[in-house]
Amino acid sequence: MQPALSLRKAISIMLEHANPIHRVHYTHLFDLTGKILAQDLFCQKALPAFDNSGMDGYAVRLADLGQKTPILGTILAGESCSVGLHDGACYKVMTGAPIPLGTQAVIPFENATLKDDSTVLLPTDFKEGANIKIAGEELQVGAPLLQKGERLTHHHVALLASQGYSVLPTYAPLRIGVYSSGNELIEPWESAQSHQIYNSNASMLFSTLQNFGWRADYLGVLPDCLEGMREAIRGFDAYDVILTTGGVSQGEADFMERSLEEAGMTTLFHGIEVKPGRPTMMGILGKTTLLCLPGNPLSASINLHFLGIPMLKKMQGERRYHLEFVYAPNKERLILKGNRANMVLGRLHEGCFKATQEGKYGSGMLTPLTTSNAIIFCDKGVENLEEGALIKVIPYMTSFGEEAVDFFNI
Ligand SMILES: Nc1nc2c(c(=O)[nH]1)N[C@H]1C(S)=C(S)[C@@H](COP(=O)(O)OP(=O)(O)OC[C@H]3O[C@@H](n4cnc5c(N)ncnc54)[C@H](O)[C@@H]3O)O[C@H]1N2
Ligand code: MOO
């Protein structure tokens, strides 16, 4: 194993080497949610597209306020409008209908008094421009709409539809392969004997990736022997990313690094000064990026979440791959060993962060993950977080930003 790196350094090496995969797919509007846009887009239909009415009412000139005014006609949404408006007349216009050129305000029906079918008494006072939506007031043709790398949400999809886009280039999903390792593992759909344990890491990986919009191939359990490893490694090149758990510490059956290096992997780091996650390893083998997580379930999950997900987001071509945080007061004093950085699970509740089990849980556990909803990163050297101290907290399903922020508590 290489000398352990600081967590900050490991994050920066990880991001430096997480190269975006630029394969493009064309995707229909109805399938765009969660996809990453592969092209900068500009406004091609102004918003609003034409001057139109914001209310069902009368399109008027201000000179006619307080007057009985003849109604020259009705304009419905969906009709085209080529008439102009002059003092001494008005038109009925419906919400979304184009308004006659020269309209100075739209007076809602309920603010005027209809005298007969063709005459209306207008109120005495009304603001110029009221209830008129002006062409291009939100977006003008040619204005930037969305940037390449945007992860599209339902709101983006609505914006794209408003522009008449129906098929758009998106980055093809990363090809991700997931392996577990360890002869003690039995799949949950099999029957474990007393000395065996069920494989929880593969499901955790699969499920976490699914949460973030990826679908991985689960490739099974890597054997704890060199020959078996060599055989498996030959299939890695079908994937952009291989994620593994286990077999990366100092055990006599921990063959991961040795067999991968023998196959030609460049090790970017192996060993991080962080708890949990010390043996985490990252490397590049041909065109495949490898992130080898510790076997301990809690370590694997946290390191996948907070190291692996930003890596995958960057490789997927997303613009926003930096973890974001919120500030919250620390509910209870927290004592830490400051000999390495710490990632501490906890709950954000009613605006405060409370460390799970006072930070005293093991890397092999699962239940602290299920009772937590957030995490804090504390730099090496931080031994004490006082009650009430304002700290940086990262929710599990954090948002990601375009700029790196310092989420460490120092
Ligand atoms: N002499 C040393 N021993 C250990 C060190 C060290 O630095 N020196 N590091 C410790 C730390 S920290 C961790 S974390 C673990 C990680 O070791 P490995 O990545 O090699 O993982 P394994 O030994 O294969 O497994 C550890 C633990 O997790 C269980 N496990 C593994 N895979 C799964 C799975 N898919 N589902 C559920 N549970 C799994 C496995 O049975 C072990 O109990 O090493 C320490 N040791
Ligand atoms: O660093 Mo290990 O992941 O603590 O248990």
Side-chain angles (χ1 to χ4, degrees):
M1 210 193 279
Q2 299 177 343
L5 288 179
S6 74
L7 179 57
R8 285 174 187 271
K9 185 76 186 158
I11 292 171
S12 87
I13 293 178
M14 175 275 288
L15 289 175
E16 190 189 327
H17 289 87
N19 294 320
I21 306 294
H22 283 135
R23 289 187 303 269
V24 167
H25 269 178
Y26 283 83
T27 309
H28 186 266
L29 203 57
F30 283 4
D31 295 318
L32 278 180
T33 315
K35 301 282 189 317
I36 313 303
L37 187 64
Q39 187 189 313
D40 289 336
L41 294 177
F42 298 88
C43 173
Q44 54 181 18
K45 188 168 174 70
L47 287 180
F50 46 85
D51 293 349
N52 71 95
S53 175
M55 295 288 240
D56 299 318
Y58 301 99
V60 304
R61 300 279 302 168
L62 296 185
D64 294 316
L65 290 179
Q67 309 289 320
K68 282 189 194 160
T69 309
I71 306 165
L72 298 189
T74 300
I75 306 161
L76 303 177
E79 290 181 347
S80 67
C81 169
S82 52
V83 292
L85 185 61
H86 304 285
D87 292 354
C90 69
Y91 278 86
K92 276 188 189 174
V93 286
M94 304 304 142
T95 308
I99 51 173
L101 198 67
T103 300
Q104 291 180 308
V106 171
I107 296 177
F109 287 143
E110 55 274 31
N111 294 125
T113 313
L114 194 62
K115 289 296 174 189
D116 57 50
D117 280 356
S118 59
T119 316
V120 63
L121 174 59
L122 299 177
T124 51
D125 193 24
F126 231 79
K127 220 175 107 198
E128 184 165 6
N131 303 315
I132 295 177
K133 294 186 278 177
I134 300 185
E137 70 181 5
E138 183 183 349
L139 272 181
Q140 298 198 347
V141 172
L145 191 74
L146 290 175
Q147 276 180 273
K148 185 164 77 174
E150 196 66 67
R151 174 175 282 266
L152 298 170
T153 66
H154 45 298
H155 292 134
H156 296 127
V157 171
L159 183 63
L160 293 168
S162 80
Q163 297 297 298
Y165 286 116
S166 60
V167 175
L168 284 160
T170 61
Y171 291 122
L174 287 175
R175 295 172 302 205
I176 307 173
V178 167
Y179 267 113
S180 303
S181 83
N183 286 344
E184 71 277 30
L185 299 177
I186 291 294
E187 301 297 1
W189 47 91
E190 296 168 348
S191 180
Q193 296 173 29
S194 56
H195 62 285
Q196 296 173 319
I197 61 164
Y198 287 116
N199 179 358
S200 61
N201 284 346
S203 321
M204 177 280 292
L205 275 158
F206 195 87
S207 175
T208 308
L209 296 177
Q210 213 170 22
N211 255 336
F212 284 94
W214 290 288
R215 236 190 134 72
D217 286 347
Y218 174 48
L219 302 170
V221 177
L222 289 167
D224 279 345
C225 72
L226 266 179
E227 199 34 59
M229 281 294 299
R230 287 188 189 119
E231 174 67 29
I233 290 168
R234 282 196 272 277
F236 281 14
D237 66 355
Y239 294 92
D240 302 311
V241 184
I242 294 280
L243 300 172
T244 67
T245 57
V248 278
S249 61
Q250 310 278 335
E252 289 184 1
D254 292 342
F255 293 118
M256 196 73 81
E257 183 175 31
R258 198 170 131 202
S259 52
L260 282 165
E261 283 189 344
E262 191 191 275
M265 177 184 78
T266 305
T267 306
L268 300 173
F269 57 79
H270 186 184
I272 310 179
E273 284 183 307
V274 64
K275 184 169 178 52
R278 224 185 95 78
T280 302
M281 175 170 82
M282 182 178 176
I284 308 279
L285 176 61
K287 291 195 171 119
T288 307
T289 301
L290 292 124
L291 184 65
C292 303
L293 299 161
N296 274 325
L298 188 140
S299 311
S301 176
I302 293 184
N303 284 278
L304 171 65
H305 226 94
F306 298 102
L307 203 62
I309 297 299
M311 177 188 100
L312 294 171
K313 279 181 172 284
K314 178 147 189 257
M315 292 185 70
Q316 186 63 77
E318 279 197 57
R319 300 172 58 218
R320 301 172 209 279
Y321 50 81
H322 293 292
L323 294 165
E324 292 193 330
F325 65 84
V326 294
Y327 276 111
N330 183 30
K331 180 106 178 159
E332 276 175 10
R333 185 171 187 218
L334 181 65
I335 308 290
L336 299 163
K337 279 195 193 138
N339 58 339
R340 45 181 166 156
N342 283 282
M343 305 192 213
V344 185
L345 289 167
R347 269 197 92 73
L348 253 185
H349 180 64
E350 293 183 337
C352 291
F353 176 84
K354 183 165 177 253
T356 299
Q357 296 167 218
E358 298 172 348
K360 297 186 184 78
Y361 48 77
S363 309
M365 294 182 176
L366 278 166
T367 48
L369 291 166
T370 59
T371 55
S372 306
N373 66 4
I375 196 159
I376 59 169
F377 283 58
C378 294
D379 228 342
K380 186 175 172 181
V382 174
E383 296 184 335
N384 177 19
L385 286 183
E386 290 297 345
E387 178 187 332
L390 205 56
I391 54 172
K392 298 173 186 177
V393 181
I394 302 174
Y396 266 2
M397 292 306 281
T398 184
S399 54
F400 290 80
E402 283 176 66
E403 280 167 33
V405 289
D406 187 353
F407 46 72
F408 282 85
N409 292 287
I410 48 175

